[in-house]
Amino acid sequence: MNPPDMGLGAGKFSAAAELGRTCALAARSQRDLIACADAYRELFPVRPFDPGFFSGLSLVGAFGSPWATPEELRAVNRASLWIFAVDYLADVVAGSAAEIDALVSDCLAAAGGGDAGPPIARFLAEIRDELAVTPSFPVLHPIWLDQLARTLLAMAAEWRWKSGGTSLTLDEYLDNADGCGSSFVNVSHWIATGDPWTLDHLDELREVSAEVQRYLRLLNDLATHGREIEWGDLNALTLGVGRDEVTARMREIVDRCATLLEPVRAGSPRTADYLERQIGFNTGFYGLVDYWGEL
């Protein structure tokens, strides 16, 4: 639903109206996310999935694609919600390597076509089924599966590193950035809403997405160092890397992203804008708050 034309023109009133529409997208999305979480309540305990969590998650989706309809944001929002749920299970709930391996196995089975399994797998199967109605899904399903596998295996590797007290370099840590899940969310969003150029260039877009993901991994680490120490999560700063080195690496990544986004912008300006907004929105967001609530 678009707002009525009230003759606001192109000035400050119009700019504020665009912000209002984006916030309305977030409000619609938040209600949908809460309803989805209610359907899988065992996955979303109120600590750390508090009201602020659902608000923040809906905002990043809306401001990432402010041109979208509420329906077009379902895939990106629900994929994001699923990532937080599986991350919580891997980082906080799982107590053994066997539990981590079962989590990976159950989710891959569901993504491949299964419906049975624990709630986290059934939620993923629901996301799969919604994507399956898009004409491109039969062709792009293997790409989606591959990105999912990268995400889950990276989470499993991180669990083993934490459990074994493995010493890592910053490069090794960033090579495992798929564990934060943003590329899986991006691929899900593009399959659901991408224009023809985007759908034809998913492999190239995954390269750009991987760079954006590395930036977000480090941004999260700088902003949530204290919380991640409390939760026992891996963090670049706990590897013995200083803040200056982390911020220098982030600047390098942003420079690479700018170069990689040039051909993307030529092919699909909105896809380029979406990836830029992942960096810009989260940089501003993490300046004040974390997505997670208190554990």
Side-chain angles (χ1 to χ4, degrees), residues 16 63 90 140 144 181 221 274:
F63 278 90
L140 300 179
W144 185 75
D221 287 356
Y274 167 80

Side-chain angles (χ1 to χ4, degrees), residues 107-127:
C107 290
L108 290 178
D115 293 316
I120 191 67
R122 296 199 302 273
F123 185 13
L124 181 61
E126 183 179 327
I127 294 170

Side-chain angles (χ1 to χ4, degrees), residues 7-31:
L8 296 180
K12 294 180 180 179
F13 293 131
S14 179
E18 287 299 317
L19 291 175
R21 182 188 182 279
T22 304
C23 290
L25 275 176
R28 286 275 296 270
S29 296
Q30 183 174 348
R31 292 179 181 128

Side-chain angles (χ1 to χ4, degrees), residues 200-238:
D200 287 342
H201 294 80
L202 276 188
D203 284 334
E204 297 97 311
L205 286 171
R206 288 170 77 193
E207 294 182 19
V208 191
S209 179
E211 285 295 330
V212 174
Q213 188 170 240
R214 293 183 187 103
Y215 177 90
L216 296 178
R217 172 81 279 175
L218 294 178
L219 174 66
N220 174 82
D221 287 356
L222 289 179
T224 65
H225 183 215
R227 190 259 295 162
E228 293 191 330
I229 288 177
E230 179 183 347
W231 289 22
D233 287 349
L234 278 182
N235 185 293
L237 299 179
T238 64

Side-chain angles (χ1 to χ4, degrees), residues 33-50 53-54 57 78-94 103 106-107 110 115 117-127 231 292-295:
L33 287 171
I34 291 172
C36 188
D38 284 342
Y40 294 96
R41 179 44 57 192
E42 57 269 60
L43 296 177
F44 300 101
V46 294
R47 295 173 65 97
F49 296 100
D50 65 359
F53 165 81
F54 292 99
L57 200 61
R78 292 189 172 211
S80 297
L81 183 62
W82 183 83
I83 282 292
F84 274 93
V86 75
D87 186 48
Y88 176 78
L89 291 177
D91 282 350
V92 179
V93 176
L103 177 63
D106 289 340
C107 290
D115 293 316
I120 191 67
R122 296 199 302 273
F123 185 13
L124 181 61
E126 183 179 327
I127 294 170
W231 289 22
W292 295 104
E294 296 293 328
L295 186 61

Side-chain angles (χ1 to χ4, degrees), residues 20-293:
R21 182 188 182 279
T22 304
C23 290
L25 275 176
R28 286 275 296 270
S29 296
Q30 183 174 348
R31 292 179 181 128
D32 182 67
L33 287 171
I34 291 172
C36 188
D38 284 342
Y40 294 96
R41 179 44 57 192
E42 57 269 60
L43 296 177
F44 300 101
V46 294
R47 295 173 65 97
F49 296 100
D50 65 359
F53 165 81
F54 292 99
S55 174
L57 200 61
S58 66
L59 285 167
V60 70
F63 278 90
S65 298
W67 48 78
T69 65
E71 293 72 25
E72 288 171 335
L73 291 179
R74 277 176 64 90
V76 69
N77 288 335
R78 292 189 172 211
S80 297
L81 183 62
W82 183 83
I83 282 292
F84 274 93
V86 75
D87 186 48
Y88 176 78
L89 291 177
D91 282 350
V92 179
V93 176
S96 69
E99 290 180 50
I100 285 290
D101 292 341
L103 177 63
V104 172
S105 177
D106 289 340
C107 290
L108 290 178
D115 293 316
I120 191 67
R122 296 199 302 273
F123 185 13
L124 181 61
E126 183 179 327
I127 294 170
R128 179 207 67 208
D129 289 345
E130 290 202 10
L131 291 176
V133 303
T134 63
S136 61
F137 190 70
V139 175
L140 300 179
H141 187 205
I143 293 177
W144 185 75
L145 279 175
D146 179 71
Q147 192 61 55
L148 172 68
R150 291 175 185 231
T151 300
L152 292 168
L153 293 174
M155 288 182 177
E158 184 171 319
W159 189 94
R160 285 178 164 84
W161 289 341
K162 290 188 297 183
S163 179
T166 304
S167 178
L168 299 168
T169 66
L170 183 58
D171 286 336
E172 290 170 332
Y173 177 69
L174 288 176
D175 283 344
N176 202 54
D178 277 314
C180 73
S182 68
S183 284
F184 172 73
V185 172
N186 293 344
V187 169
S188 299
H189 181 48
W190 291 328
I191 290 174
T193 66
D195 56 36
W197 186 93
T198 297
L199 297 177
D200 287 342
H201 294 80
L202 276 188
D203 284 334
E204 297 97 311
L205 286 171
R206 288 170 77 193
E207 294 182 19
V208 191
S209 179
E211 285 295 330
V212 174
Q213 188 170 240
R214 293 183 187 103
Y215 177 90
L216 296 178
R217 172 81 279 175
L218 294 178
L219 174 66
N220 174 82
D221 287 356
L222 289 179
T224 65
H225 183 215
R227 190 259 295 162
E228 293 191 330
I229 288 177
E230 179 183 347
W231 289 22
D233 287 349
L234 278 182
N235 185 293
L237 299 179
T238 64
L239 303 178
V241 181
R243 284 184 172 268
D244 288 345
E245 184 177 349
V246 170
T247 55
R249 182 64 67 90
M250 291 169 70
R251 285 192 291 270
E252 293 174 6
I253 293 171
V254 167
D255 288 343
R256 283 198 297 274
C257 286
T259 300
L260 290 169
L261 281 169
E262 289 179 7
V264 175
R265 192 175 308 284
S268 178
R270 280 191 172 178
T271 298
D273 287 346
Y274 167 80
L275 286 167
E276 286 184 339
R277 285 168 176 265
Q278 299 305 300
I279 292 175
F281 178 90
N282 282 289
T283 299
F285 187 89
Y286 273 124
L288 291 174
V289 71
D290 186 6
Y291 288 100
W292 295 104

